[in-house]
Amino acid sequence: MEEQAKALRELMQSEKNGATGGQKTRIIAITSGKGGVGKTNLAVNMAIAYGQMGKKVILIDGDLGMANVNVLLNIVPQYNLMQVVNKQKRMDEIILDTEFGIQFIAGANGFSKIANLSKEDLDHFAKEFASLSNADIIIIDTGAGIANNVLQFVAAADKVIVVTTPEPTAITDAYGIIKIVTTELVDRQIHLNLLVNRVHSADEGKRISERIITIVGQFLNYKVDYIGFVYDDPVVQASVIRQKPFIVVNPTSKPANCVKHIVGRIEKTELSSNSGVSNFLKKFVRGKKNK
């Protein structure tokens, strides 16, 4: 792993020297302990909310088993990241423009094998991935649960948003993935944020978040921040059926306003010196479980 990480030094030095125009890319991973909590829908709508702010946004489908971002965007991708890993395509050949003002990259089963590439192959992929450094925001929709590829995305991102709902099973699974992240990953300096989806009131969102945050602090001695909530609303399901994000279908709806508020809160936080595309790759390679 250490030899592979050295392959990224040239790329990292390039970014430090201002190759990205003096502005680093913010990389956000959105994850959950279980499926069905609305994680992918939130990732899509957050990406569009950033785009509406004038940001250059790239949305990556990192759910390697059940990739479905393209369904919500009504896109059929022809290529994905594995073509870049296998040197069949360049990054600029697989990235897709969308009608929603953001760009999209399809993931693929097996992408996690990047951590086991040879030094030469990793260097090749790193240079291709570096072309994404011109983006302001990269949002990665990870898979649900604690698969190794999910944890690698989580370990590498600048900010991690764990999505849950008020359902007891979702709360339990949210705590479960937080426990795995905080006890088994190499890098414990991971900025975890909790988002409660499908609430019926602001008080419900606050109550659920406080319960999880208190338990995490008590039993794991780890601080998790509450990033916000999103209302349960029929407009969300209606937009899924139409294959158009709810922030586009009904931009003044309660869920749309919630997403805009969350994005606004994220933008108020400063990027650390350990952020950016090259550092993401470095952390992705070493971000495996200790066990």
Side-chain angles (χ1 to χ4, degrees):
M1 284 303 166
E2 184 61 31
E3 182 180 359
Q4 291 175 341
K6 288 179 181 178
L8 303 175
R9 284 181 176 174
E10 180 181 345
L11 174 61
M12 292 181 67
Q13 190 61 45
S14 173
E15 186 167 330
K16 286 179 181 178
N17 289 338
T20 61
Q23 180 178 351
K24 285 191 175 181
T25 303
R26 187 191 296 270
I27 301 176
I28 303 170
I30 301 181
T31 192
S32 64
K34 69 185 290 289
V37 297
K39 168 185 59 64
T40 297
N41 211 345
L42 290 172
V44 169
N45 283 276
M46 284 179 62
I48 295 172
Y50 265 114
Q52 291 174 346
M53 293 171 61
K55 301 288 186 180
K56 180 176 174 55
V57 184
I58 297 174
L59 176 61
I60 299 178
D61 194 339
D63 190 339
L64 308 183
M66 297 287 289
N68 56 7
V69 170
N70 61 293
V71 176
L72 294 178
L73 294 174
N74 197 20
I75 292 174
V76 180
Q78 188 174 358
Y79 306 112
N80 57 55
L81 278 171
M82 279 308 298
Q83 271 83 43
V84 178
V85 172
N86 294 330
K87 302 181 182 179
Q88 297 168 325
K89 293 290 178 182
R90 298 190 312 272
M91 191 67 74
D92 61 3
E93 292 178 306
I94 72 164
I95 193 166
L96 298 174
D97 293 323
T98 74
E99 63 180 289
F100 308 112
I102 64 172
Q103 293 183 304
F104 169 62
I105 295 177
N109 190 21
F111 174 62
S112 57
K113 80 172 189 178
I114 184 177
N116 300 314
L117 294 178
S118 67
K119 181 177 181 294
E120 179 183 355
D121 288 342
L122 183 64
D123 185 55
H124 165 79
F125 180 78
K127 289 177 179 177
E128 285 292 327
F129 203 84
S131 66
L132 305 183
S133 294
N134 63 345
D136 298 307
I137 306 290
I138 294 177
I139 293 182
I140 303 170
D141 174 38
T142 79
I146 57 172
N148 217 26
N149 54 65
V150 173
L151 296 178
Q152 284 181 268
F153 283 129
V154 167
D158 304 319
K159 182 179 286 289
V160 179
I161 297 176
V162 179
V163 180
T164 187
T165 68
E167 295 178 4
T169 53
I171 294 172
T172 300
D173 289 335
Y175 174 78
I177 192 170
I178 292 171
K179 181 178 180 180
I180 293 294
V181 168
T182 58
T183 59
E184 295 197 22
L185 290 184
V186 174
D187 184 2
R188 283 180 55 86
Q189 300 304 312
I190 298 173
H191 191 187
L192 291 177
N193 298 262
L194 187 66
L195 190 160
V196 186
N197 193 26
R198 298 176 186 159
V199 304
H200 295 93
S201 69
D203 286 342
E204 183 179 33
K206 185 177 181 181
R207 186 175 68 253
I208 296 297
S209 65
E210 286 178 347
R211 185 190 310 173
I212 297 173
I213 289 170
T214 299
I215 295 173
V216 169
Q218 181 178 353
F219 292 101
L220 304 178
N221 192 29
Y222 205 91
K223 184 178 184 296
V224 176
D225 293 322
Y226 178 43
I227 195 69
F229 67 90
V230 176
Y231 281 108
D232 189 17
D233 193 293
V235 70
V236 176
Q237 185 59 31
S239 70
V240 171
I241 294 173
R242 292 179 59 180
Q243 291 182 275
K244 283 204 171 185
F246 60 77
I247 202 169
V248 175
V249 173
N250 194 336
T252 60
S253 64
K254 285 184 176 181
N257 287 332
C258 288
V259 166
K260 293 173 187 176
H261 179 72
I262 291 167
V263 165
R265 290 190 63 183
I266 295 172
E267 276 302 284
K268 291 179 181 178
T269 61
E270 294 185 3
L271 280 169
S272 71
S273 59
N274 199 30
S275 61
V277 169
S278 60
N279 278 302
F280 169 84
L281 281 167
K282 181 180 179 182
K283 290 183 286 184
F284 186 91
V285 168
R286 76 166 190 259
K288 300 172 75 69
K289 292 197 287 188
N290 291 328
K291 294 182 179 180

